[in-house]
Amino acid sequence: MKKKRTFSLKKEWQLWVMILPALAYILIFCYGPMYGIQLAFRKYDFSKGLTGGDWVGLKYFIQYFDSPMFAVTMKNTFIISFFTLICGFPAPILLAIVINSLRHNKLKRVVQTAVYMPYFISTVVMVSILQILLSPTTGVVSNLLRNLNLISKNVNLLGTPSAFVPVYVLSGVWQSAGWNSIIFIAALSAVEGQLYDAAKVDGASRWQQVIHVELPALVPTIVILLIMNIGRILSVGFEKVFLMQNELNLSVSEVISTYVFNIGVQSGQFSFGSAVGLFNTIINFAFLILANMISKKIADISLM
């Protein structure tokens, strides 16, 4: 009969001390700012602070729903997030399988280092690199595409609305695929060697080993990370979009995060901006709960 595991503050105080910094960080930086949520339901007054303004209820939410920017920002945010998920989520899995297939340890370390390095490039530097490579006159990538007759002469890819999403998504995959593959490589390292030996004895090819040995071992990790990514479906990063944004591509690059900045900070409509940001968070939370429920019902794997 299994004994129920209980934690005693007196007997196991060392464990609580170890997690105390993490708990403090979460309380201060995650739960503390939630005090400002009420700003979305109040008319902000500089002289009265966050809690001194008049209560207006759902006024600013309705104002956003009736705004012509509602459909635009929702559409742009969802399109960018969707293609980022479709292209960016499988890439680390495939990369982890490829790296795990390398048998030469020195080569494996070199490849891992090479694919991890782009992750440490700052967003500002990353966008600067894109501007250099995609310059309509001197850009290496632009000239290559032009020589292959894939684009016309003097086309500015960063200023072309139809090219904004591919450039954003592909550059994001290149930058983060290596780092995101770490967790999948760790999951593959836990696969017992006996399974590979048994597959080889049965005559399984390398591809069959991937299908029948490695992918089943990755399924729990894939499902959990997929649920968490779906929970961020409308959380397009502000910095990169804002830096890539210009007057030419504004029709496809104005997402919820940049709209909140423009309308809430630059225009001084703090209550309206808070309402839009809170709505974004609620939608993400709903997607997270829905994805978790579906996963638990179909695959019996969930976060809770």
Side-chain angles (χ1 to χ4, degrees), residues 34-93:
M34 292 178 66
Y35 174 77
I37 288 178
Q38 59 184 301
L39 186 61
F41 305 94
R42 294 181 181 275
K43 184 178 180 180
Y44 182 66
D45 189 334
F46 284 94
S47 62
K48 297 180 180 179
L50 293 177
T51 60
D54 297 331
W55 185 267
V56 295
L58 301 177
K59 172 185 175 181
Y60 296 110
F61 292 91
I62 298 174
Q63 180 180 341
Y64 177 53
F65 298 151
D66 294 338
S67 169
M69 292 302 297
F70 173 71
V72 174
T73 53
M74 287 293 292
K75 176 185 175 182
N76 293 343
T77 304
F78 181 78
I79 288 176
I80 294 175
S81 297
F82 177 76
F83 284 105
T84 299
L85 181 63
I86 294 297
C87 299
F89 187 77
I93 301 174

Side-chain angles (χ1 to χ4, degrees), residues 96-289:
I97 293 174
V98 171
I99 293 176
N100 188 64
S101 300
L102 299 175
R103 298 307 176 200
H104 197 286
N105 290 331
K106 187 174 182 180
L107 176 61
K108 181 183 290 189
R109 289 194 296 268
V110 171
V111 172
Q112 285 180 302
T113 303
V115 297
Y116 294 165
M117 287 179 64
Y119 180 79
F120 298 98
I121 300 175
S122 69
T123 304
V124 175
V125 175
M126 182 65 192
V127 175
S128 298
I129 292 174
L130 290 177
Q131 292 174 345
I132 294 172
L133 294 177
L134 301 178
S135 171
T137 55
T138 60
V140 175
V141 176
S142 297
N143 288 327
L144 177 62
L145 295 176
R146 191 176 299 112
N147 292 332
L148 295 175
N149 294 323
L150 296 177
I151 61 173
S152 57
K153 188 177 181 180
N154 294 328
V155 170
N156 184 4
L157 292 176
L158 290 178
T160 304
S162 59
F164 179 84
V165 175
V167 170
Y168 180 92
V169 172
L170 293 177
S171 61
V173 172
W174 173 77
Q175 186 175 18
S176 61
W179 181 260
N180 292 336
S181 68
I182 293 176
I183 191 170
F184 296 108
I185 295 174
L188 289 174
S189 65
V191 178
E192 296 182 6
Q194 296 177 352
L195 295 177
Y196 290 104
D197 296 336
K200 292 177 182 178
V201 170
D202 292 337
S205 63
R206 180 67 190 115
W207 177 249
Q208 290 173 326
Q209 292 177 38
V210 171
I211 298 296
H212 299 290
V213 177
E214 295 182 351
L215 284 182
L218 289 176
V219 166
T221 305
I222 291 174
V223 172
I224 294 299
L225 291 180
L226 182 60
I227 293 173
M228 296 177 67
N229 277 272
I230 292 177
R232 299 193 296 264
I233 192 68
L234 291 183
S235 296
V236 177
F238 166 78
E239 296 89 353
K240 188 176 179 180
V241 175
F242 183 75
L243 292 171
M244 293 177 62
Q245 197 174 75
N246 54 59
E247 294 296 332
L248 299 175
N249 61 28
L250 194 61
S251 60
V252 296
S253 64
E254 185 70 288
V255 296
I256 294 177
S257 57
T258 57
Y259 182 65
V260 169
F261 174 77
N262 292 328
I263 202 72
V265 178
Q266 291 190 331
S267 299
Q269 302 182 45
F270 300 108
S271 296
F272 182 59
S274 298
V276 176
L278 180 58
F279 169 75
N280 185 23
T281 302
I282 293 173
I283 296 299
N284 283 332
F285 183 73
F287 271 110
L288 176 64
I289 297 299

